[in-house]
Amino acid sequence: MEVADMTMAALMSGRPAVVPVLLRHGLACPGCAMAPFMTVREAAEAYGLELGPLLDNLTAADRHPALSAEIG
Amino acid sequence: MPPPPDPALLRGMPLFAGLGADALADAVGLARPRLHPRGTAIFTQGEPAAAGHALIDGRVKIVQTGPDGQQVVMRFIGPGEMFGTLAIFTDGLYPADAVAVADCVELSWPAAAMTELMDRHPMIARNALSIIGGRLRELQNRLREVATERVERRIAHALLRLVRQAGRRVEAGVEIDFPLSRQDVAEMTGTTLHTVSRTLSAWESQGIVESGRQQVVIRKPHALVAIAEDLPPVPKRE
């Protein structure tokens, strides 16, 4: 499944390295009650963020977990 | 008809997490299955706590009534959750009413059976402690909200808690899969029916929620989170 269509909860539990990136982008998804129900695409829209750059940073963090805190 | 006591009923219940097949069979062997039609009381406040309970199917509302007759919804119970169990380890009286708000199937364990099970399988006691710890934390949060937060944020938090417990993705957004009235929301947030109605109506006109007589759908999940958490407004995209 494409990252954009994963729910936030599935993304965070499958790829914990993305959590700092989400926080850097100002997303309150970690720990949020809505995370199991909203996709990455919907979250980007709700926060008024461009989907493309967000996805780039999320996949980059997932490839280099140690760097994830530096990205965003 | 009540279901036959099958150990599979207990699988997935936090109270029995991590137990082997033998222990599950032991637990289910001591359980009494019962049916409670919608609208009936499973136990009532002040009654001697005869048993620990676990819900198999349906929805239960736990309501406490104060000396002045004012009611407070303590929590809703969904399938797989335990309830009414703490009383057998405290003063032996149920602290609240448990009302079936949908047709319910529950298992209960007489107080002696429950303590015996916990002695034989300490994992059950540890699981119960972890469940109670989670509920205590939730109550601490609610207490802080009641003491410090504007009513609008309290209502938003109450809805988010229900989403966490019983949220369901639907076409229009996220539905709270409970029969939930505005009066229930008022009793969960320490406010009046009037205030809940006013708040929900305002949110409805902003397209944030949609509420029927007994059903609530959150159409703009992020907007509700933003109210609950006081998040900054989303900048307009160009």
Side-chain angles (χ1 to χ4, degrees):
Chain A
M1 186 189 278
E2 280 197 43
V3 171
D5 296 313
M6 291 175 79
T7 66
M8 272 294 176
L11 178 73
M12 291 186 290
S13 67
R15 310 176 186 192
V18 303
V19 169
V21 179
L22 294 173
L23 296 175
R24 283 288 179 94
H25 278 273
L27 276 73
C29 304
C32 178
M34 294 298 183
F37 306 109
M38 306 306 286
T39 64
V40 174
R41 187 191 307 278
E42 288 167 330
E45 197 177 318
Y47 280 88
L49 297 172
E50 295 283 350
L51 182 61
L54 175 65
L55 289 176
D56 289 346
N57 287 340
L58 292 174
T59 40
D62 193 42
R63 274 198 304 274
H64 306 287
L67 296 177
S68 64
E70 306 300 323
I71 299 172
Chain B
M1 286 292 290
D6 176 348
L9 281 176
L10 305 184
R11 222 161 276 145
M13 279 193 185
L15 184 59
F16 299 105
L19 290 183
D22 289 353
L24 287 179
D26 194 17
V28 91
L30 293 171
R32 298 175 310 191
R34 278 170 74 190
L35 281 180
H36 300 275
R38 180 183 172 162
T40 57
I42 297 173
F43 52 74
T44 54
Q45 186 172 336
E47 176 192 344
H53 304 257
L55 191 64
I56 301 296
D57 192 32
R59 298 284 183 205
V60 173
K61 183 162 78 168
I62 308 292
V63 194
Q64 196 173 71
T65 308
D68 56 355
Q70 179 99 14
Q71 293 197 318
V72 175
V73 174
M74 307 307 282
R75 66 182 294 111
F76 283 91
I77 300 291
E81 292 190 89
M82 77 164 195
F83 62 106
T85 302
L86 204 48
I88 61 184
F89 300 104
T90 52
D91 63 354
L93 299 176
Y94 287 118
D97 293 344
V99 181
V101 290
D103 289 340
C104 287
V105 181
E106 62 131 11
L107 293 178
S108 64
W109 290 264
M114 184 55 96
T115 44
E116 199 181 313
L117 274 175
M118 286 181 171
D119 289 345
R120 268 191 255 160
H121 312 287
M123 186 62 107
I124 299 177
R126 280 173 57 178
N127 289 339
L129 189 59
S130 140
I131 294 166
I132 291 159
R135 292 191 187 168
L136 181 62
R137 181 173 293 187
E138 193 184 302
L139 282 174
Q140 286 168 334
N141 288 340
R142 276 177 69 178
L143 182 62
R144 180 178 42 73
E145 288 165 24
V146 169
T148 64
E149 287 183 2
R150 290 181 289 118
V151 70
E152 195 186 35
R153 289 187 65 189
R154 279 156 36 199
I155 295 171
H157 270 132
L159 295 183
L160 288 177
R161 257 193 295 274
L162 291 170
V163 162
R164 203 181 285 283
Q165 195 183 6
R168 201 162 66 97
R169 183 70 208 235
V170 294
E171 183 78 25
V174 179
E175 182 185 75
I176 294 171
D177 194 13
F178 270 140
L180 182 73
S181 68
R182 291 180 169 195
Q183 182 66 38
D184 290 330
V185 177
E187 291 174 11
M188 292 175 80
T189 51
T191 185
T192 60
L193 175 59
H194 174 75
T195 301
V196 170
S197 287
R198 190 164 41 80
T199 305
L200 289 183
S201 297
W203 291 350
E204 270 175 35
S205 66
Q206 297 163 44
I208 298 172
V209 302
E210 187 183 290
S211 62
R213 215 176 62 80
Q214 291 267 294
Q215 224 68 40
V216 175
V217 177
I218 291 91
R219 296 183 60 107
K220 291 185 182 167
H222 177 71
L224 188 70
V225 173
I227 293 168
E229 303 305 334
D230 246 349
L231 297 179
V234 173
K236 284 267 179 287
R237 289 170 76 175
E238 318 198 341

